């Protein structure tokens, strides 16, 4: 990706000041202020107050508006994470706002008791591109935590805002962010017996929403390729449900493989070179891979049971899947060649739709116990099971690329007349901060993209 | 090759049927309800001829073949029961389902139409597992009909999983109606 170039414009004078500030911190400030950091692995975290000043767009009306919009997008990203509490800009003390070319008046911000301060500037270049700069300050330590500049086409301002939010998130939590991402999902409308399902794509915050299909064909379970250029999904087009791949730029789509039965539950391998999917033939569902260059197929399971919902480990060496070979639906892990199968779920209930975390340390799943659905996680060895969200119908977890947040869909019970309400939600890995993701219609089958490369 | 011969035999039978007993189709269909020796009588029952097949060239040496009458076959299937139901997370055909399929087989054996068996599930599972379960159910029905003598080449299966419920509602009554396999006529074999 070459849309953005990047520089670190911390003036030497400021840098010296930062070092001095750092020493000052170590020497003088109480421990609480010594390290502006959120430990997101802890169970309960008080959101960190943060001041995000509208970016300075100068005298240009267009860039001035973009500056305000960018600050709003950054604030919304950080707020939705549950880890930050952006202050109302009307409460901001320093007037006029801080300048990129001078130190902020820290005393003004300290009176607000806000430990983190973000401001920035947008300059319209002669070449039509925007230069967007920002700085993140530790107010109490009087220390710059991040200072970056981005060059981009004006239409990309939202992505730059997400990238800045990711930089802030990373600097303060130590974890990669997930705001510069997209979600592909199934938009639903119409009566239950003739539900219209369309592929749709949007930014993770719901912006830039776009339908990919017209609803004439039933589609399910879209998933991103690692490159973000393609998705794979199930389409009922042509009467036989089959796995398709679709190019998101050209909208070209094609069926994958020449299978003698229904193919479904596709996912890309982490290197993007293969699909792993299920083939149902003569009442038996098995897991196969398809090499996307040679189209060669390979059967991985061989069992009279239903073997489905495969998902690769991030290193591509193992696959977790769903099988009822033991009598009820449970999670199993096998090596990528189909060998060495072992069951990992041992709790009460039935387990479905395992998805390996991008970090490799957890497997998310759907569980049904006593007629109730839940979404939870366990380790790849099957230990440490934790239920994160429960409900009448909660299904289909998908991971944010940093492995710290999950998205899934939740369906209400039907009243017998109207379609059930079905929406997307996010929750963090410790089961906090459940949020609805805004969608224009009912929604299901979300898949979170990797970070933009 | 075998299939061609079979079709030819069907054509001969059908021509004979048209010329001799054009009005007995509904009677044959009703007779199929009796259970018992349906299989045998089904083999010799006369396939219905679509109204569009024409009837004025019967004895002029022009060979003709019946188009299976999809609408008629579907009506007959509906009459004997075109749906069978399943227990939760099961694809076993219980006694009731089997007797329904006996009657479906009888209808299909005296017709030339192709059918699709749609497998469906209730909403109490995940989408992907339910697609596999729907395939199991559709295949269970297909296998039963084939064992009864209906040619496997006439039967396709498709799983809709939980995507096309027959009954709306989040209760056992609705779920029981949605755990089903439906036999749907797609068209005649001959002449097409």
């Amino acid at each position: 990706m070459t849309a953005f170039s990047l520089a670190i414009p911390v003036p030497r004078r400021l840098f010296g000041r930062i070092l001095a500030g750092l020493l000052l911190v170590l020497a003088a400030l109480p421990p609480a202020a010594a390290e502006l950091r959120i430990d997101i692995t802890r169970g309960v975290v008080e959101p960190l107050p943060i001041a995000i000043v509208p970016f300075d767009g100068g005298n240009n009306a267009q860039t001035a508006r973009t500056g305000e919009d960018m600050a709003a997008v950054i604030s919304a990203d950080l707020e939705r994470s549950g880890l930050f509490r952006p202050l109302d800009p009307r409460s901001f003390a320093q007037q006029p706002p801080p300048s990129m070319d001078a130190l902020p008046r820290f005393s003004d911000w300290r009176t607000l008791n806000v430990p983190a301060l973000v401001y920035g500037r947008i300059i319209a270049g002669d070449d039509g591109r925007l230069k967007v700069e920002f700085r993140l300050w530790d107010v109490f330590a009087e220390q710059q935590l991040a200072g970056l500049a981005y060059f981009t086409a004006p239409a990309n301002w939202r992505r730059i805002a997400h990238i800045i939010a990711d930089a802030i998130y990373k600097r303060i939590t130590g974890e990669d962010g997930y705001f510069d991402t997209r979600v592909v999902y199934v938009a639903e409308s119409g009566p239950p017996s003739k539900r219209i399902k369309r592929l749709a794509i949007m930014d993770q915050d719901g912006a830039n929403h776009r339908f990919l299909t017209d609803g004439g064909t039933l589609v399910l379970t879209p998933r991103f390729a690692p490159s973000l250029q393609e998705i794979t999904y199930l389409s009922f087009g042509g009467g036989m449900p089959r796995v398709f791949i679709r190019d998101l730029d050209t909208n070209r789509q094609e069926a994958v493989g020449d299978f003698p039965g229904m193919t479904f539950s596709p996912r890309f391998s982490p290197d993007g070179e293969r699909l792993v999917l299920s083939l149902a033939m003569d009442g038996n569902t098995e897991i196969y891979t398809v090499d996307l260059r040679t189209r060669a197929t390979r059967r991985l399971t061989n069992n009279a049971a239903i073997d489905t919902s495969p998902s690769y480990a991030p290193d591509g060496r193992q696959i977790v899947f769903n099988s009822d070979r033991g009598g009820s639906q449970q999670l199993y892990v096998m090596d990528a060649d189909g060998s060495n199968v072992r069951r990992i779920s041992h709790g009460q209930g039935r387990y479905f739709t395992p998805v390996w975390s991008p970090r490799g340390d957890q497997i998310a799943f759907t569980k049904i116990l006593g007629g109730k659905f839940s979404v939870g996680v366990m380790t790849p060895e099957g230990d440490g099971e934790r239920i994160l969200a429960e409900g009448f119908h909660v299904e289909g977890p998908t991971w944010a690329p940093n492995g710290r947040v999950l998205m899934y869909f939740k369906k209400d019970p039907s009243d017998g007349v109207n379609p059930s309400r079905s929406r997307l939600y996010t929750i963090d890995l410790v089961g906090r901060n459940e949020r609805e993701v805004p969608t224009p219609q009912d929604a299901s089958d979300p898949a979170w993209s990797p970070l933009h490369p | 090759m075998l299939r061609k011969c079979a079709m030819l035999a069907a054509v001969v039978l059908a021509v004979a049927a048209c010329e001799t007993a054009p009005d007995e189709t509904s009677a044959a269909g009703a007779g199929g309800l009796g259970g018992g020796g349906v299989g045998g009588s089904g083999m010799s029952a006369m396939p219905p001829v679509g109204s569009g097949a024409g009837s004025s060239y019967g004895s002029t040496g022009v060979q003709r073949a019946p188009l299976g009458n999809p609408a008629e076959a579907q009506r007959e299937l509906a009459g004997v029961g075109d749906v069978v139901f399943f227990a939760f997370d099961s694809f076993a055909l219980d006694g009731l389902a089997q007797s329904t399929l006996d009657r479906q087989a009888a209808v299909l054996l005296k017709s030339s139409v192709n059918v699709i068996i749609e497998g469906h599930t209730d909403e109490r599972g995940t989408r992907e597992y339910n697609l596999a379960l729907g395939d199991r159910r559709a295949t269970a029905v297909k296998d039963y009909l084939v064992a009864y003598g209906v040619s496997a080449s006439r039967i396709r299966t498709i799983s809709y999983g939980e995507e096309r419920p027959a009954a709306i509602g989040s209760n056992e009554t609705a779920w029981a109606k949605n755990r089903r396999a439906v036999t749907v006529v797609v068209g005649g074999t001959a002449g097409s």
Side-chain angles (χ1 to χ4, degrees), chain B residues 69-96:
Chain B
N69 183 336
E72 178 67 23
Q74 191 68 64
R75 264 196 300 279
E76 281 194 62
L77 278 178
V80 303
D82 54 358
V83 186
V84 295
F85 299 96
F86 297 86
F88 175 71
D89 195 24
S90 168
F91 59 106
L93 298 165
D94 62 13
L96 194 61

Side-chain angles (χ1 to χ4, degrees), chain A residues 193 195 197 223 236 239 264-265 280 282-283 285 306 309 324 329 350 352 371 392-393 395 411 414 444-445, chain B residues 88-89 123-129 131-133 135-136 139 158-160 162-165 168-170:
Chain A
S193 59
R195 201 73 166 145
K197 296 200 170 190
R223 278 94 191 233
F236 278 69
F264 61 109
S265 78
D282 302 330
T285 295
I306 289 176
S309 301
D324 63 358
Q329 296 83 19
R350 300 181 293 141
F352 304 84
F392 167 74
H393 194 129
E395 182 181 335
K411 203 171 74 171
S414 165
S444 61
D445 290 355
Chain B
F88 175 71
D89 195 24
E123 62 183 353
R124 307 306 286 164
T126 57
R127 251 181 237 314
E128 289 180 345
Y129 181 80
L131 285 167
L133 180 58
D135 177 70
R136 270 182 171 171
T139 303
I158 188 171
S159 173
Y160 283 97
E162 63 186 84
E163 303 304 318
R164 290 289 179 258
I168 306 161
S170 295

Side-chain angles (χ1 to χ4, degrees), chain B residues 84-129:
Chain B
V84 295
F85 299 96
F86 297 86
F88 175 71
D89 195 24
S90 168
F91 59 106
L93 298 165
D94 62 13
L96 194 61
Q98 290 186 22
S99 61
T100 301
L101 294 178
D102 289 346
R103 298 192 300 270
Q104 285 188 16
V107 171
L108 294 176
L109 284 172
K110 66 185 175 54
S111 173
S112 57
V113 295
N114 287 344
V115 292
I116 295 181
I117 315 291
E118 298 177 353
H120 300 271
T121 72
D122 66 26
E123 62 183 353
R124 307 306 286 164
T126 57
R127 251 181 237 314
E128 289 180 345
Y129 181 80

Side-chain angles (χ1 to χ4, degrees), chain A residues 192-213:
Chain A
S193 59
K194 293 182 196 157
R195 201 73 166 145
I196 294 167
K197 296 200 170 190
R198 307 168 71 179
L199 295 175
I201 193 167
M202 60 188 180
D203 297 350
Q204 52 77 29
D205 61 354
N208 291 320
H209 187 279
R210 180 162 67 96
F211 292 107
L212 299 174
T213 59

Side-chain angles (χ1 to χ4, degrees), chain A residues 31-52:
Chain A
E35 188 177 84
L36 180 53
R37 192 174 178 87
I38 300 173
D39 180 1
I40 64 175
T41 60
R42 281 172 50 212
V44 178
V45 177
E46 189 63 29
L48 181 82
I50 186 168
I52 300 164

